[in-house]
Amino acid sequence: MNDDDLNRQLQRLPMKYLHQLAKGRISRHFRLGKRRLIECMLGLPQEHKMALASSLANLSLPSRESVVSPATPQSPSPGKSPSPFYSKATARKSHHTQGPSSPPIQLPELLEGIGVPSPMPFVPDEWQREAVEALAHADVIVSVPTGSGKTFVAIEAIKQAMAANQTVIYTSPLKALSNTKYMEFSQRFGPDQVGILTGDRRDNIHAPLLIMTTEILRNVLYDAASGEIDLRLHTLGLVILDESQYLADPERGVVWEETLILCPSQTRLLLLSASIGNPQELAEWLTSIREIPCRLIRHTKRSVPLRGLYLHPTGQLVPLFEARDIQQKKGYRFHPETKRLFNEYEIKPFR
Amino acid sequence: MPPAIHPIDLVDILRRHHLTPAIVFLTSRRGCDEAIDAFINTSASVPASHSEAIRTFLEQFAKDFPSIANHPLIPVVQDYGVAAHHAGHLPSWKMAIEELMRQGLLDAVFATTTLAAGVDFPARTVVISQSSVRKSQDFCDLTVSEIQQLAGRGGRRGKDFVGFVVVTPSPFIDLDILGKGLTGQPESIDSQFVISYPMVLNLLRAHSVDQIEGLLAKSFAQFQLNQRVAVHQERLDDLHEQLQPYGPRECADWVAQWKVFDLARRRKAHRRPIVTNDSPYLTACLPFLTPGRLIGLAKGPAIILRQYRSRGTGTPMLSVLHGKGTVGECQAQRVVHVYDHVYDFHPTRTVPWCPPSTLHQFKQALAQLPAHPPTVPIFEANQEADDPLLAEVLTEEFSCPSCPSYTACKKDFSLASRLRLKEQQVTKTIQALRDGLWHRFQQKADVLHKFGYITAGFQLTPDGEWARMIRINHSLLITELIRMDAFSGIAPEMLAGVMASIAHDDDRPSSYMRLTPGLSSVLGKVRQVADSLRAYEPPPLLRSDVAALAEQWIGQPQLSWASLVKSTSMAEGDVYRLLARTLEFLSQIHTLKGTHPGLADTAHLAMGNMRREVLAELP
């Protein structure tokens, strides 16, 4: 691209984008006017000019019209900050863009396949089987996306432990979740097999499966350590800690740590957690403080694919991303239609 | 902020594209309730058969949980197939909604993001309309984990082929946060190890001090600290390597030695003189040129009335009385002689700088002066006067100036001392990281020792033995209150009231309720105690309205839940949680039956009265 071409293209750009291009290339570009800015850009060394031209080509513009007529107001409300879209997304875009991409998906294609699968026998996933099997010789941390079937692992593990005549304790962070699980497990294992402990109530505490909040388990372990206990801790074979990511809760996280530290050594631990960033670290820690190793089961793929949609306040429904299914760790690019509509919304939010 | 789209349009669009059932996450409880209210008297109703199914289910559910039988939201749920789900509702109502959702009978549930973790029901679609959430007074951006927790509710295994996340804008939304949240890697979790008083007591009951140190070392907190230690250790090793060439020289610790020497050498630099342009002679003169001094100018003798510096150039100036009786100004450097005579007078602040009578006296004195009065000898100060002296001291006290490695030391000192300083800092950091937890444990133990719960030898005292059974927030306050017999002979409802105000840590506004005089005096005392413990334990809010609420519920067994809720502006769910927490606190007091039978009985009575209607429904 020769200087004339570049000059013509730059002339057509609104100031906002010129500054965006000049950032990091021309010092104190924000003090310069349009003519001077373009002069400075054209005066850059050749290789810098090449880079400039390529970022000019990558620049994502709201629509063709606004490029052609620089008179288009950038933002009609002066007090409003510019759309986050162009200030951040475009700047970041360069490393989300890898090579030529497929054309953005269309709505009908995205909405394809909605429906209810015909009922079929439940086939456990590979990782679910793996987790249950690993419990035979190790503690297990399961870190998988929400809704991929952690409860199944818990149930299978409970079945296994109950078959071996062991006591199982299942803890959850919230009383409400305890109650839900109590009802669920009572239906599954029979009411006489399930007990629940709360701060003030102990129902059926000689049942093989006990449900409680983590605080209660910590208290039980305190009492067990000082030798005053009415629970059968020596037969305690399995402790399941649901929602273990609460370990990082500023107020209550310490309870999870205490529980894990004080847990009897013959007991297996099963930690069920939503996706967290450092499950490996957690596993290393558990391995370092307990006699048996700790096995980490993690995956990020959802069992039901998830797709993104953008719903404009006017009622238009468009795809959110360019790709169909939302995938982890692959970066993202918003669908051009979403960008356009959202920009419109940002400028006139209360239409 | 609520989403820009109207809830009816939203549900309508979701229904049209077969995206129901959906969970719509909103920021506030009020937003959820208003969204539901918007449906009333509109045509967005569900088919009659659908309504019928919901009705049958709710009737069935109400058999187990009578508290929801007459819930005011039942008609909306039945007619429009939408519901709200947030902490302001009773647990039983939330369970009913969750169960309806699991059975696929609802089209949309409006829920708050704050309780995303407590929402244990999936849907085909999740609607997100904001990128930030209110966390204790402040709006924070949603974290990646939180967004994935929300999005994770979309798509039911075995019931859906695909799940959907629908983003609909509201004011202040930032799409990038959501884009990153949906596709990014969730944040790492960090340990939040806090050492509490009950923890110290309970650990000391069962373990020796050495064992406890071991237990603390096993915590995830220490594990993560150790990782940081490793990083610092690397830096330290690196620094050691860099310090290698600067080992012992003539003296073993030459860096320290040189530092002292250097300081001594620069001793003069510590008192920097005020920079003036005065000549050395003038500087020497100035102390003598005081008011009343007799001086000789070129014109003849004069008496100084005041000394000052000119505002502009800072030149020292004098106001003088000349021999002929005029008062004038002259520069101090114009002074030719400084005579050895000073007249006594009272200076004034305005011209002529002295009382008129003095002026007259001075005039006469000047007239009678001898030709050559004795002068004051002026010695100019020698600028370099103390340098040889200092040099002598330095050579006497330090061997450095004559040391063979003088030049090497002088050259290396700045780098070596910087490295040395860094090394010390890193060593300190490592030490702090290693011992931090244990120190915090000791701090707590010291406080407990001060209050007499443990002995100096880390043994529990009899008070400590029972105090360790109180394992809740504000445990120190509660055990101190018990020890000072604040609760002796207290009525069950008052005990419950006090416990409720200690347990309640939410500052959502609620209406003021009337306190009984008895409860208000007890609360006053509790406030005093809590204030006196401020240094050791953050005091609870101790709100009197929640105390009154709990007192009413326990003191009036015939009071129905509905009328209790009507008497306050707190949401039903909040009242429930308040009482449930109070129940927990009371049950902790009940465990003290061995040592405080009277108090434990009172707590038991209060618990008995408390467990009725809604509070008896769930374990």
Side-chain angles (χ1 to χ4, degrees):
Chain A
M1 185 187 295
N2 62 23
D3 276 11
D4 284 348
D5 276 350
L6 192 60
N7 189 3
R8 214 169 308 126
Q9 287 205 13
L10 290 175
Q11 287 288 359
R12 272 193 305 197
L13 277 183
M15 278 311 278
K16 187 168 144 193
Y17 300 105
L18 281 180
H19 283 304
Q20 214 168 305
L21 288 172
K23 204 169 171 186
R25 294 195 170 97
I26 295 166
S27 65
R28 298 178 70 73
H29 62 89
F30 41 85
R31 303 300 296 268
L32 303 180
K34 186 163 189 172
R35 190 182 50 81
R36 182 85 185 102
L37 200 55
I38 293 175
E39 258 173 39
C40 287
M41 284 184 175
L42 294 175
L44 287 171
Q46 194 55 41
E47 65 269 25
H48 287 207
K49 236 184 296 182
M50 301 285 283
L52 184 81
S54 71
S55 26
L56 178 64
N58 279 338
L59 202 63
S60 88
L61 299 170
S63 60
R64 195 42 54 187
E65 297 83 61
S66 70
V67 182
V68 174
S69 61
T72 309
Q74 287 156 27
S75 165
S77 48
K80 201 168 162 351
S81 64
S83 139
F85 228 81
Y86 298 112
S87 54
K88 296 180 208 153
T90 40
R92 202 178 295 119
K93 209 177 160 190
S94 50
H95 53 255
H96 283 305
T97 314
Q98 280 126 12
S101 58
S102 48
I105 191 166
Q106 297 305 309
L107 185 66
E109 210 180 324
L110 190 82
L111 290 178
E112 241 170 40
I114 296 183
V116 181
S118 52
M120 50 173 89
F122 180 82
V123 182
D125 286 348
E126 183 57 35
W127 66 267
Q128 287 172 321
R129 274 208 309 276
E130 202 182 322
V132 177
E133 280 161 18
L135 264 181
H137 49 84
D139 295 334
V140 174
I141 296 178
V142 176
S143 172
V144 293
T146 317
S148 33
K150 291 189 288 268
T151 311
F152 173 81
V153 178
I155 288 171
E156 286 304 305
I158 292 170
K159 274 187 198 157
Q160 249 184 27
M162 275 161 76
N165 230 354
Q166 289 171 329
T167 312
V168 181
I169 291 180
Y170 182 97
T171 78
S172 72
L174 301 168
K175 225 171 170 179
L177 290 178
S178 292
N179 284 327
T180 316
K181 286 291 176 216
Y182 180 55
M183 299 210 323
E184 189 183 334
F185 289 155
S186 297
Q187 278 171 12
R188 186 173 289 269
F189 297 108
D192 56 324
Q193 297 288 300
V194 189
I196 186 164
L197 273 80
T198 61
D200 56 306
R201 209 150 121 181
R202 303 181 149 209
D203 287 358
N204 199 11
I205 59 164
H206 294 292
L209 171 60
L210 294 174
I211 293 166
M212 54 185 85
T213 56
T214 315
E215 270 85 357
I216 304 292
L217 175 58
R218 194 264 320 258
N219 290 350
V220 165
L221 292 173
Y222 273 166
D223 290 339
S226 48
E228 40 192 277
I229 184 74
D230 48 357
L231 280 177
R232 298 163 300 150
L233 270 195
H234 56 277
T235 56
L236 182 61
L238 177 67
V239 170
I240 303 173
L241 298 167
D242 201 358
E243 311 284 348
S244 321
Q245 73 272 15
Y246 261 76
L247 188 80
D249 188 88
E251 278 168 37
R252 299 172 58 201
V254 58
V255 177
W256 270 255
E257 275 190 55
E258 282 180 274
T259 307
L260 290 172
I261 296 169
L262 295 173
C263 230
S265 55
Q266 93 278 357
T267 307
R268 290 274 185 279
L269 292 173
L270 174 58
L271 276 69
L272 306 176
S273 141
S275 287
I276 53 173
N278 55 347
Q280 191 61 42
E281 196 180 355
L282 212 56
E284 278 167 24
W285 169 55
L286 275 185
T287 307
S288 76
I289 65 165
R290 293 181 60 85
E291 287 164 16
I292 41 174
C294 178
R295 177 78 185 277
L296 172 66
I297 309 281
R298 86 186 284 198
H299 74 103
T300 48
K301 195 164 155 42
R302 294 171 45 92
S303 46
V304 178
L306 197 64
R307 297 175 189 173
L309 286 166
Y310 175 78
L311 177 58
H312 198 59
T314 52
Q316 271 170 285
L317 196 65
V318 294
L320 181 63
F321 297 114
E322 281 193 351
R324 195 179 64 166
D325 291 351
I326 295 177
Q327 281 175 340
Q328 308 289 311
K329 296 184 218 161
K330 294 250 174 84
Y332 63 95
R333 277 205 296 194
F334 287 118
H335 197 273
E337 199 64 1
T338 296
K339 286 188 199 171
R340 189 179 67 76
L341 287 172
F342 185 69
N343 192 40
E344 206 171 273
Y345 171 80
E346 283 270 296
I347 292 170
K348 304 176 217 162
F350 301 110
R351 191 169 59 170
Chain B
M1 278 288 210
I5 191 167
H6 193 279
I8 294 184
D9 295 341
L10 174 66
V11 171
D12 183 46
I13 290 166
L14 293 177
R15 278 181 185 150
R16 249 190 298 144
H17 288 98
H18 309 287
L19 293 172
T20 52
I23 308 175
V24 184
F25 285 110
L26 302 177
T27 11
S28 64
R29 296 179 186 186
R30 212 174 116 197
C32 298
D33 291 338
E34 280 171 358
I36 296 301
D37 285 346
F39 281 87
I40 296 173
N41 294 332
T42 60
S43 55
S45 51
V46 288
S49 61
H50 200 122
S51 289
E52 190 55 31
I54 299 177
R55 201 176 64 82
T56 331
F57 171 82
L58 283 177
E59 270 172 13
Q60 196 62 36
F61 201 81
K63 279 182 189 152
D64 291 335
F65 298 96
S67 61
I68 67 151
N70 293 315
H71 201 283
L73 288 176
I74 286 182
V76 189
V77 175
Q78 281 177 9
D79 294 348
Y80 304 101
V82 293
H85 184 286
H86 58 70
H89 290 305
L90 281 180
S92 44
W93 175 252
K94 288 198 281 183
M95 281 165 79
I97 299 298
E98 285 165 25
E99 200 51 45
L100 275 172
M101 200 67 182
R102 268 184 219 114
Q103 300 192 3
L105 291 173
L106 291 183
D107 279 348
V109 170
F110 293 84
T112 48
T113 22
T114 33
L115 274 179
V119 178
D120 188 21
F121 54 92
R124 176 174 290 169
T125 305
V126 170
V127 181
I128 301 179
S129 65
Q130 77 266 322
S131 57
S132 55
V133 61
R134 217 190 102 176
K135 279 175 194 160
S136 63
Q137 311 300 325
D138 224 358
F139 274 90
C140 303
D141 285 345
L142 287 166
T143 62
V144 175
S145 320
E146 279 165 343
I147 292 172
Q148 294 194 352
Q149 185 86 251
L150 298 182
R153 308 285 168 208
R156 297 159 296 179
R157 196 178 170 156
K159 286 193 198 161
D160 283 319
F161 285 116
V162 282
F164 289 92
V165 178
V166 175
V167 174
T168 185
S170 65
F172 313 126
I173 192 173
D174 185 344
L175 273 196
D176 267 311
I177 293 177
L178 294 178
K180 239 186 283 175
L182 289 171
T183 54
Q185 163 94 5
E187 287 86 2
S188 301
I189 60 170
D190 287 322
S191 170
Q192 305 285 343
F193 204 76
V194 197
I195 290 175
S196 61
Y197 294 115
M199 187 204 280
V200 175
L201 288 174
N202 280 292
L203 287 180
L204 282 174
R205 173 80 204 308
H207 306 277
S208 73
V209 178
D210 297 340
Q211 281 171 329
I212 291 172
E213 215 176 336
L215 278 179
L216 292 179
K218 277 166 80 174
S219 65
F220 189 47
Q222 193 61 55
F223 184 78
Q224 290 193 316
L225 288 179
N226 285 344
Q227 289 178 342
R228 280 165 61 192
V229 165
V231 174
H232 284 292
Q233 193 67 49
E234 244 169 59
R235 273 183 65 198
L236 188 63
D237 293 343
D238 197 37
L239 281 173
H240 278 310
E241 205 158 289
Q242 288 181 41
L243 271 171
Q244 207 71 37
Y246 310 117
R249 295 189 176 163
E250 301 301 313
C251 32
D253 192 3
W254 67 270
V255 180
Q257 185 74 15
W258 182 273
K259 194 174 173 185
V260 179
F261 170 67
D262 203 41
L263 272 181
R265 208 168 48 145
R266 291 161 190 258
R267 202 161 42 177
K268 256 180 64 182
H270 291 293
R271 8 185 192 93
R272 181 182 298 169
I274 299 157
V275 180
T276 57
N277 297 323
D278 305 347
S279 65
Y281 175 75
L282 189 59
T283 315
C285 271
L286 275 182
F288 296 98
L289 301 180
T290 51
R293 167 74 64 184
L294 185 64
I295 52 169
L297 296 172
K299 296 177 193 167
I303 294 175
I304 298 176
L305 296 176
R306 66 165 183 157
Q307 187 199 93
Y308 64 98
R309 278 186 185 267
S310 90
R311 288 250 171 102
T313 56
T315 335
M317 300 284 288
L318 302 170
S319 299
V320 294
L321 178 73
H322 294 292
K324 51 187 173 181
T326 52
V327 174
E329 319 288 319
C330 80
Q331 292 182 358
Q333 68 193 43
R334 294 282 155 76
V335 176
V336 183
H337 302 291
V338 182
Y339 296 124
D340 189 13
H341 191 85
V342 178
Y343 296 93
D344 213 18
F345 77 105
H346 285 286
T348 57
R349 301 192 52 151
T350 50
V351 176
W353 315 115
C354 63
S357 56
T358 316
L359 213 57
H360 188 65
Q361 281 171 25
F362 281 178
K363 207 170 134 187
Q364 285 180 349
L366 281 172
Q368 294 157 15
L369 268 186
H372 296 288
T375 53
V376 178
I378 305 286
F379 298 109
E380 278 180 42
N382 189 343
Q383 290 286 293
E384 311 296 317
D386 55 2
D387 274 358
L389 210 72
L390 181 67
E392 202 176 303
V393 171
L394 288 177
T395 39
E396 252 173 42
E397 285 182 11
F398 298 97
S399 51
C400 291
S402 57
C403 174
S405 60
Y406 177 87
T407 34
C409 286
K410 191 176 176 185
K411 190 172 136 240
D412 295 343
F413 172 71
S414 69
L415 183 61
S417 70
R418 221 176 313 137
L419 287 176
R420 175 75 67 89
L421 192 69
K422 250 186 217 161
E423 183 202 6
Q424 282 163 356
Q425 281 169 349
V426 173
T427 318
K428 224 177 196 177
T429 313
I430 290 178
Q431 203 57 33
L433 290 177
R434 285 218 174 109
D435 298 347
L437 272 188
W438 175 239
H439 276 305
R440 274 189 272 160
F441 181 86
Q442 277 176 324
Q443 276 169 3
K444 293 281 174 187
D446 286 346
V447 173
L448 287 172
H449 174 54
K450 190 179 157 200
F451 282 97
Y453 292 106
I454 54 179
T455 64
F458 289 112
Q459 296 291 317
L460 295 197
T461 61
D463 273 340
E465 283 290 337
W466 59 260
R468 80 191 166 83
M469 303 303 292
I470 309 290
R471 294 154 180 167
I472 33 187
N473 294 350
H474 310 296
S475 60
L476 190 62
L477 172 64
I478 294 172
T479 53
E480 278 301 294
L481 284 170
I482 294 175
R483 280 173 84 195
M484 54 181 65
D485 263 347
F487 297 142
S488 65
I490 196 173
E493 63 268 23
M494 287 196 195
L495 181 66
V498 171
M499 285 303 142
S501 72
I502 296 178
H504 193 69
D505 49 10
D506 189 356
D507 55 359
R508 256 172 213 277
S510 91
S511 66
Y512 280 92
M513 304 191 61
R514 191 168 299 164
L515 275 175
T516 55
L519 182 56
S520 99
S521 83
V522 180
L523 262 186
K525 193 169 178 189
V526 174
R527 268 198 201 107
Q528 274 178 10
V529 179
D531 261 351
S532 70
L533 295 177
R534 191 175 283 271
Y536 312 107
E537 193 175 68
L541 290 177
L542 289 175
R543 282 170 51 164
S544 43
D545 52 344
V546 296
L549 198 68
E551 188 196 20
Q552 274 192 12
W553 179 245
I554 286 130
Q556 305 170 20
Q558 68 288 354
L559 185 71
S560 73
W561 178 257
S563 44
L564 179 79
V565 172
K566 214 177 273 174
S567 68
T568 170
S569 62
M570 275 167 93
E572 212 175 4
D574 290 329
V575 178
Y576 179 90
R577 246 192 328 281
L578 166 72
L579 293 179
R581 255 179 90 85
T582 311
L583 206 55
E584 203 175 301
F585 274 46
L586 287 171
S587 72
Q588 298 258 316
I589 292 189
H590 181 55
T591 54
L592 304 180
K593 39 189 180 289
T595 47
H596 300 78
L599 185 61
D601 281 349
T602 313
H604 193 65
L605 263 176
M607 286 159 68
N609 284 346
M610 192 177 258
R611 279 207 163 276
R612 56 177 210 267
E613 283 195 46
V614 182
L615 281 138
E617 271 179 2
L618 287 164

